[in-house]
Amino acid sequence: MALVVMKFGGSSVADADKIKLVADRVVEKKKAGNKVVVVVSAPGGTTDDLLAMSQNITSNPPDRELDILLATGEMISISLLSMAINFMGQKAISLTGPQAGIIADTSYTKARIKKVNPKKIKAMLAKDTIVVVAGFQALNAKGDVTTLGRGGSDLTAVALAAQLHADFCEIYSDVEGVFTTDPRVVKDARKIEYISYDEMLELAAAGAQVLQSRSVEVAKKFGVEIHSRSTFSQNPGTIITSKENIRRKKMEALLVSGIAFDKNQVKFTIIDLPDLPGIAAKIFSKLAKAGVNVDMIIQSAAINKKNDISFTVSKQDLKKTQIELDKLAQELKASQVIYDEHVSKISVVGIGMKSNVGVAGKMFEILHKKGINIEMISTSEIKISCIIDERDLTTAVEELHKGFGLSKKNRSFYDKA
Ligand code: ADP
Ligand code: ASP
Ligand code: MG
């Protein structure tokens, strides 16, 4: 008898009809002879609505209270899904993250899972019961409910699959798998059959929402193979697995496997900082202490012993960053802090980049041909990212997708290695 973890995202449990459809799929899996653990997100839009409710009270709510509020979203879904499954004549029980034994560190809003104590889940599975777990939430050492960062239900599912040694970890959403770019933006994006953990990690970190990047990190660490697929179709989706497994299946490796983008970025620039050792250390350690995740950073060359530092953070951290920088700018005697919310990050990802030069040049050339200005650049072994004006984003995605041969019509850019 196999053990399957099935995770359904917000769009799959957005209303009563969809919840009944999810219940059908779960019951079908159970009747096929599997033990089933289901992880669900809050109904689509609920987490954003809850965040908006908190903003109506204060623009900077205490993180602990925010987590208690946000955790309520997933509790709506577990109870309703469990009712639907019971109504269909199968035994099901809903568990909150803390009840399911998901234990996190002490940080709020982006807590990390420290361990999973699956005692209760195992006891329920032994009683032939379907266990429905609230994603995105955990219990910390202080006994508080915390949340795991946006998209965190994926992480709950992968952590449970790892801890329970599940035979399958299926992540269901409103698309048929991982595509060469967001299929809602580029109509001829292609579904990828297999993708390595490393490429998926870079795509997810660069904004490809279909999987949360930390869930891919944990999947890689524990060797959990993820099957990303659609709630609304029976077609096979994308398998996220190790490079070795893909090679064994003799797949062609594309030089570039996908284009990702992130609209959720804000660019900050601190102007006229003294050009002295320790300034960057001070700024970024203060931001880290405030729980701000800094993404790209550039520092300009010094002129008259002064320079500027620009960096990006997610929009969610805008207020916290402003508060910290107002204090720091005074202390460090910088002349000004400016920010721009109208920027986006666009990234080209592919394992083939390791052994092929020229991808960066080609990317910049494609953007240049469309008159798109690049404001910041960062690279890793298998990714190149640029910050651009948000108004240029759709054109940039379409042109890069075409230019790197990812469209259905012009597949050409293969890595022959
Ligand atoms: P869920 O609510 O099920 O967790 P998400 O909204 O988090 O689903 O993720 C699915 C969405 O991710 C899709 O609707 C799609 O618009 C977006 N997406 C972005 N990049 C990609 C990609 N490369 N492949 C597939 N979907 C993508
Ligand atoms: N409900 C949370 C969010 O919207 C977690 C998730 O959907 O995975 O980010
Ligand atoms: Mg998601």
Side-chain angles (χ1 to χ4, degrees):
M1 190 183 262
L3 172 61
V4 188
V5 173
M6 306 171 85
K7 179 259 165 179
F8 294 89
S11 48
S12 305
V13 290
D15 57 40
D17 287 339
K18 288 188 174 141
I19 290 174
K20 287 177 191 167
L21 184 79
V22 167
D24 275 340
R25 294 209 73 154
V26 170
V27 168
E28 183 187 17
K29 192 70 79 182
K30 177 77 177 63
K31 284 190 173 159
N34 301 292
K35 287 180 189 273
V36 183
V37 175
V38 189
V39 175
V40 272
S41 298
T46 304
T47 307
D48 288 334
D49 291 346
L50 291 168
L51 277 169
M53 281 167 73
S54 74
Q55 289 295 309
N56 289 338
I57 303 286
T58 161
S59 65
N60 195 23
D63 286 342
R64 180 187 180 279
E65 308 313 320
L66 192 59
D67 270 353
I68 291 190
L69 178 68
L70 295 187
T72 61
E74 271 63 19
M75 288 166 68
I76 299 173
S77 305
I78 53 167
S79 48
L80 293 177
L81 180 60
S82 183
M83 286 175 203
I85 298 170
N86 276 294
F87 181 75
M88 291 172 72
Q90 288 285 329
K91 283 187 285 182
I93 184 171
S94 62
L95 298 177
T96 64
Q99 285 175 321
I102 316 276
I103 310 296
D105 64 9
T106 49
S107 50
Y108 296 95
T109 72
K110 292 171 201 137
R112 302 184 83 84
I113 295 181
K114 283 191 81 169
K115 62 175 182 190
V116 178
N117 175 2
K119 223 170 113 190
K120 196 158 183 153
I121 296 182
K122 281 185 172 166
M124 293 300 159
L125 289 174
K127 287 184 188 160
D128 209 30
T129 301
I130 296 167
V131 185
V132 183
V133 178
F136 179 54
Q137 51 181 255
L139 185 72
N140 72 11
K142 293 181 184 166
D144 288 337
V145 176
T146 58
T147 63
L148 307 174
R150 296 307 304 264
S153 300
D154 296 340
L155 178 60
T156 306
V158 172
L160 283 176
Q163 179 69 46
L164 296 165
H165 304 289
D167 298 277
F168 302 98
C169 178
E170 301 178 326
I171 302 217
Y172 290 82
S173 70
D174 56 352
V175 282
E176 280 199 357
V178 180
F179 284 66
T180 46
T181 192
D182 190 335
R184 298 191 193 289
V185 173
V186 176
K187 289 289 164 256
D188 70 348
R190 281 183 303 106
K191 185 164 70 185
I192 302 170
E193 213 178 337
Y194 293 94
I195 189 165
S196 67
Y197 291 123
D198 290 333
E199 285 170 300
M200 190 63 236
L201 201 53
E202 291 281 20
L203 279 175
Q209 224 187 321
V210 60
L211 282 173
Q212 190 219 31
S213 64
R214 276 170 50 207
S215 73
V216 185
E217 234 171 78
V218 173
K220 181 183 175 186
K221 188 166 168 193
F222 293 96
V224 174
E225 206 167 77
I226 300 174
H227 187 182
S228 159
R229 54 189 311 194
S230 166
T231 305
F232 309 104
S233 103
Q234 295 286 350
N235 292 340
T238 302
I239 305 288
I240 297 101
T241 186
S242 66
K243 229 169 23 197
E244 292 68 33
N245 278 348
I246 297 178
R247 229 175 253 139
R248 237 173 272 139
K249 290 177 171 117
K250 289 198 172 58
M251 294 301 299
E252 312 167 88
L254 278 171
L255 174 61
V256 164
S257 33
I259 314 290
F261 55 86
D262 184 358
K263 296 181 189 169
N264 189 32
Q265 296 257 317
V266 191
K267 182 175 116 182
F268 277 90
T269 304
I270 317 174
I271 295 172
D272 283 344
L273 280 161
D275 184 35
L276 293 170
I279 297 289
K282 183 155 215 161
I283 295 169
F284 294 108
S285 55
K286 278 266 159 64
L287 289 172
K289 231 182 188 163
V292 173
N293 262 341
V294 174
D295 188 359
M296 282 196 205
I297 304 174
I298 50 167
Q299 178 174 319
S300 64
I303 300 172
N304 297 332
K305 296 207 163 44
K306 289 195 180 290
N307 59 25
D308 305 339
I309 291 184
S310 297
F311 58 90
T312 60
V313 300
S314 69
K315 283 193 175 134
Q316 192 186 326
D317 287 339
L318 173 72
K319 193 78 200 171
K320 274 188 198 160
T321 309
Q322 269 179 322
I323 292 170
E324 289 307 313
L325 290 190
D326 282 349
K327 287 187 266 176
L328 277 164
Q330 272 200 344
E331 190 186 325
L332 302 174
K333 299 193 172 52
S335 65
Q336 209 186 348
V337 176
I338 48 177
Y339 72 91
D340 183 357
E341 282 183 272
H342 303 290
V343 293
S344 294
K345 181 171 73 170
I346 178 135
S347 308
V348 164
V349 174
I351 217 151
M353 276 185 212
K354 274 190 188 178
S355 48
N356 285 272
V357 291
V359 177
K362 189 176 167 83
M363 178 180 189
F364 305 153
E365 190 55 38
I366 291 170
L367 295 178
H368 164 68
K369 272 199 185 130
K370 286 285 154 185
I372 296 172
N373 187 40
I374 300 169
E375 297 181 27
M376 293 167 96
I377 301 170
S378 79
T379 60
S380 79
E381 221 177 5
I382 61 166
K383 180 179 75 180
I384 304 158
S385 302
C386 297
I387 293 289
I388 58 173
D389 189 313
E390 67 179 8
R391 285 171 299 189
D392 293 326
L393 185 64
T394 307
T395 310
V397 180
E398 283 167 352
E399 291 300 316
L400 290 171
H401 192 262
K402 211 167 30 179
F404 281 105
L406 297 173
S407 308
K408 280 176 188 147
K409 286 176 223 119
N410 66 341
R411 298 179 61 183
S412 59
F413 231 74
Y414 283 98
D415 170 17
K416 303 282 186 317

mmCIF file of all heavy atoms in Angstrom, residues 13-14 41-53 69-70 72-74 76-77 150:
data_model
loop_
_atom_site.group_PDB
_atom_site.id
_atom_site.type_symbol
_atom_site.label_atom_id
_atom_site.label_comp_id
_atom_site.label_asym_id
_atom_site.label_seq_id
_atom_site.Cartn_x
_atom_site.Cartn_y
_atom_site.Cartn_z
ATOM 1 N N VAL A 13 -9.288 25.223 -4.065
ATOM 2 C CA VAL A 13 -10.280 25.127 -2.980
ATOM 3 C C VAL A 13 -11.008 26.469 -2.811
ATOM 4 O O VAL A 13 -11.433 26.834 -1.719
ATOM 5 C CB VAL A 13 -9.625 24.695 -1.629
ATOM 6 C CG1 VAL A 13 -9.175 23.249 -1.679
ATOM 7 C CG2 VAL A 13 -8.451 25.590 -1.243
ATOM 8 N N ALA A 14 -11.124 27.193 -3.945
ATOM 9 C CA ALA A 14 -11.644 28.565 -3.882
ATOM 10 C C ALA A 14 -13.137 28.646 -3.563
ATOM 11 O O ALA A 14 -13.611 29.657 -3.047
ATOM 12 C CB ALA A 14 -11.348 29.283 -5.195
ATOM 13 N N SER A 41 -4.170 24.733 1.009
ATOM 14 C CA SER A 41 -3.977 26.175 1.232
ATOM 15 C C SER A 41 -5.310 26.804 1.595
ATOM 16 O O SER A 41 -6.356 26.177 1.459
ATOM 17 C CB SER A 41 -3.508 26.853 -0.051
ATOM 18 O OG SER A 41 -2.283 26.365 -0.465
ATOM 19 N N ALA A 42 -5.245 28.062 1.961
ATOM 20 C CA ALA A 42 -6.468 28.841 2.183
ATOM 21 C C ALA A 42 -7.202 29.005 0.851
ATOM 22 O O ALA A 42 -6.566 28.996 -0.202
ATOM 23 C CB ALA A 42 -6.080 30.211 2.724
ATOM 24 N N PRO A 43 -8.530 29.153 0.871
ATOM 25 C CA PRO A 43 -9.251 29.418 -0.388
ATOM 26 C C PRO A 43 -8.617 30.612 -1.106
ATOM 27 O O PRO A 43 -8.215 31.589 -0.453
ATOM 28 C CB PRO A 43 -10.669 29.763 0.092
ATOM 29 C CG PRO A 43 -10.788 29.126 1.436
ATOM 30 C CD PRO A 43 -9.421 29.146 2.051
ATOM 31 N N GLY A 44 -8.514 30.506 -2.457
ATOM 32 C CA GLY A 44 -7.853 31.545 -3.264
ATOM 33 C C GLY A 44 -8.233 32.956 -2.856
ATOM 34 O O GLY A 44 -9.411 33.268 -2.692
ATOM 35 N N GLY A 45 -7.257 33.792 -2.649
ATOM 36 C CA GLY A 45 -7.501 35.203 -2.314
ATOM 37 C C GLY A 45 -7.655 35.469 -0.826
ATOM 38 O O GLY A 45 -7.553 36.618 -0.379
ATOM 39 N N THR A 46 -7.865 34.399 -0.031
ATOM 40 C CA THR A 46 -8.140 34.611 1.401
ATOM 41 C C THR A 46 -6.939 35.218 2.135
ATOM 42 O O THR A 46 -7.092 36.126 2.956
ATOM 43 C CB THR A 46 -8.533 33.271 2.066
ATOM 44 O OG1 THR A 46 -9.641 32.741 1.364
ATOM 45 C CG2 THR A 46 -8.892 33.444 3.530
ATOM 46 N N THR A 47 -5.741 34.708 1.837
ATOM 47 C CA THR A 47 -4.554 35.223 2.546
ATOM 48 C C THR A 47 -4.364 36.710 2.235
ATOM 49 O O THR A 47 -4.077 37.511 3.135
ATOM 50 C CB THR A 47 -3.307 34.393 2.162
ATOM 51 O OG1 THR A 47 -3.606 33.021 2.375
ATOM 52 C CG2 THR A 47 -2.102 34.779 3.004
ATOM 53 N N ASP A 48 -4.580 37.078 0.956
ATOM 54 C CA ASP A 48 -4.467 38.505 0.593
ATOM 55 C C ASP A 48 -5.544 39.325 1.303
ATOM 56 O O ASP A 48 -5.278 40.433 1.771
ATOM 57 C CB ASP A 48 -4.610 38.682 -0.928
ATOM 58 C CG ASP A 48 -3.376 38.170 -1.658
ATOM 59 O OD1 ASP A 48 -2.288 38.165 -1.047
ATOM 60 O OD2 ASP A 48 -3.504 37.756 -2.817
ATOM 61 N N ASP A 49 -6.762 38.765 1.389
ATOM 62 C CA ASP A 49 -7.843 39.493 2.079
ATOM 63 C C ASP A 49 -7.498 39.693 3.557
ATOM 64 O O ASP A 49 -7.741 40.763 4.128
ATOM 65 C CB ASP A 49 -9.172 38.725 1.985
ATOM 66 C CG ASP A 49 -9.706 38.713 0.564
ATOM 67 O OD1 ASP A 49 -9.210 39.495 -0.272
ATOM 68 O OD2 ASP A 49 -10.616 37.896 0.271
ATOM 69 N N LEU A 50 -6.937 38.663 4.164
ATOM 70 C CA LEU A 50 -6.572 38.766 5.590
ATOM 71 C C LEU A 50 -5.476 39.828 5.777
ATOM 72 O O LEU A 50 -5.521 40.624 6.723
ATOM 73 C CB LEU A 50 -6.102 37.406 6.122
ATOM 74 C CG LEU A 50 -7.198 36.326 6.230
ATOM 75 C CD1 LEU A 50 -6.591 34.945 6.478
ATOM 76 C CD2 LEU A 50 -8.184 36.672 7.354
ATOM 77 N N LEU A 51 -4.515 39.831 4.849
ATOM 78 C CA LEU A 51 -3.450 40.848 4.932
ATOM 79 C C LEU A 51 -4.049 42.245 4.809
ATOM 80 O O LEU A 51 -3.673 43.158 5.555
ATOM 81 C CB LEU A 51 -2.435 40.633 3.804
ATOM 82 C CG LEU A 51 -1.361 39.579 4.065
ATOM 83 C CD1 LEU A 51 -0.594 39.264 2.788
ATOM 84 C CD2 LEU A 51 -0.388 40.048 5.155
ATOM 85 N N ALA A 52 -5.011 42.386 3.879
ATOM 86 C CA ALA A 52 -5.655 43.701 3.691
ATOM 87 C C ALA A 52 -6.407 44.105 4.961
ATOM 88 O O ALA A 52 -6.400 45.276 5.355
ATOM 89 C CB ALA A 52 -6.595 43.647 2.499
ATOM 90 N N MET A 53 -7.044 43.115 5.617
ATOM 91 C CA MET A 53 -7.762 43.432 6.866
ATOM 92 C C MET A 53 -6.803 43.984 7.908
ATOM 93 O O MET A 53 -7.116 44.937 8.632
ATOM 94 C CB MET A 53 -8.434 42.163 7.423
ATOM 95 C CG MET A 53 -9.726 41.800 6.714
ATOM 96 S SD MET A 53 -10.254 40.134 7.134
ATOM 97 C CE MET A 53 -10.817 40.369 8.793
ATOM 98 N N LEU A 69 -3.585 35.652 12.541
ATOM 99 C CA LEU A 69 -4.634 36.013 11.583
ATOM 100 C C LEU A 69 -4.508 35.176 10.299
ATOM 101 O O LEU A 69 -5.486 34.570 9.837
ATOM 102 C CB LEU A 69 -4.521 37.511 11.252
ATOM 103 C CG LEU A 69 -5.511 38.050 10.236
ATOM 104 C CD1 LEU A 69 -6.929 38.033 10.798
ATOM 105 C CD2 LEU A 69 -5.147 39.480 9.821
ATOM 106 N N LEU A 70 -3.297 35.123 9.736
ATOM 107 C CA LEU A 70 -3.111 34.431 8.452
ATOM 108 C C LEU A 70 -3.401 32.932 8.557
ATOM 109 O O LEU A 70 -3.896 32.318 7.609
ATOM 110 C CB LEU A 70 -1.691 34.646 7.921
ATOM 111 C CG LEU A 70 -1.309 36.081 7.549
ATOM 112 C CD1 LEU A 70 0.062 36.122 6.885
ATOM 113 C CD2 LEU A 70 -2.342 36.713 6.612
ATOM 114 N N THR A 72 -5.659 31.490 10.001
ATOM 115 C CA THR A 72 -7.088 31.139 9.961
ATOM 116 C C THR A 72 -7.527 30.729 8.551
ATOM 117 O O THR A 72 -8.460 29.950 8.391
ATOM 118 C CB THR A 72 -7.992 32.308 10.426
ATOM 119 O OG1 THR A 72 -7.791 33.420 9.549
ATOM 120 C CG2 THR A 72 -7.681 32.720 11.848
ATOM 121 N N GLY A 73 -6.859 31.252 7.514
ATOM 122 C CA GLY A 73 -7.255 30.962 6.126
ATOM 123 C C GLY A 73 -7.233 29.474 5.833
ATOM 124 O O GLY A 73 -8.203 28.901 5.297
ATOM 125 N N GLU A 74 -6.137 28.814 6.186
ATOM 126 C CA GLU A 74 -5.993 27.382 5.893
ATOM 127 C C GLU A 74 -6.972 26.554 6.721
ATOM 128 O O GLU A 74 -7.380 25.458 6.316
ATOM 129 C CB GLU A 74 -4.545 26.931 6.175
ATOM 130 C CG GLU A 74 -3.567 27.052 4.996
ATOM 131 C CD GLU A 74 -3.329 28.455 4.485
ATOM 132 O OE1 GLU A 74 -3.617 29.410 5.224
ATOM 133 O OE2 GLU A 74 -2.846 28.607 3.348
ATOM 134 N N ILE A 76 -10.033 27.237 7.272
ATOM 135 C CA ILE A 76 -11.309 27.182 6.533
ATOM 136 C C ILE A 76 -11.276 25.969 5.593
ATOM 137 O O ILE A 76 -12.201 25.156 5.545
ATOM 138 C CB ILE A 76 -11.513 28.479 5.705
ATOM 139 C CG1 ILE A 76 -11.571 29.699 6.622
ATOM 140 C CG2 ILE A 76 -12.755 28.358 4.811
ATOM 141 C CD1 ILE A 76 -11.599 31.033 5.882
ATOM 142 N N SER A 77 -10.154 25.841 4.870
ATOM 143 C CA SER A 77 -10.089 24.780 3.846
ATOM 144 C C SER A 77 -10.064 23.378 4.446
ATOM 145 O O SER A 77 -10.719 22.469 3.930
ATOM 146 C CB SER A 77 -8.835 24.952 2.986
ATOM 147 O OG SER A 77 -8.786 26.231 2.441
ATOM 148 N N ARG A 150 4.918 33.143 2.035
ATOM 149 C CA ARG A 150 3.908 32.967 0.990
ATOM 150 C C ARG A 150 4.181 31.698 0.178
ATOM 151 O O ARG A 150 5.320 31.370 -0.108
ATOM 152 C CB ARG A 150 3.867 34.195 0.059
ATOM 153 C CG ARG A 150 3.438 35.496 0.724
ATOM 154 C CD ARG A 150 2.121 35.426 1.472
ATOM 155 N NE ARG A 150 0.961 34.985 0.720
ATOM 156 C CZ ARG A 150 0.077 35.789 0.151
ATOM 157 N NH1 ARG A 150 0.250 37.104 0.214
ATOM 158 N NH2 ARG A 150 -0.981 35.307 -0.464
#
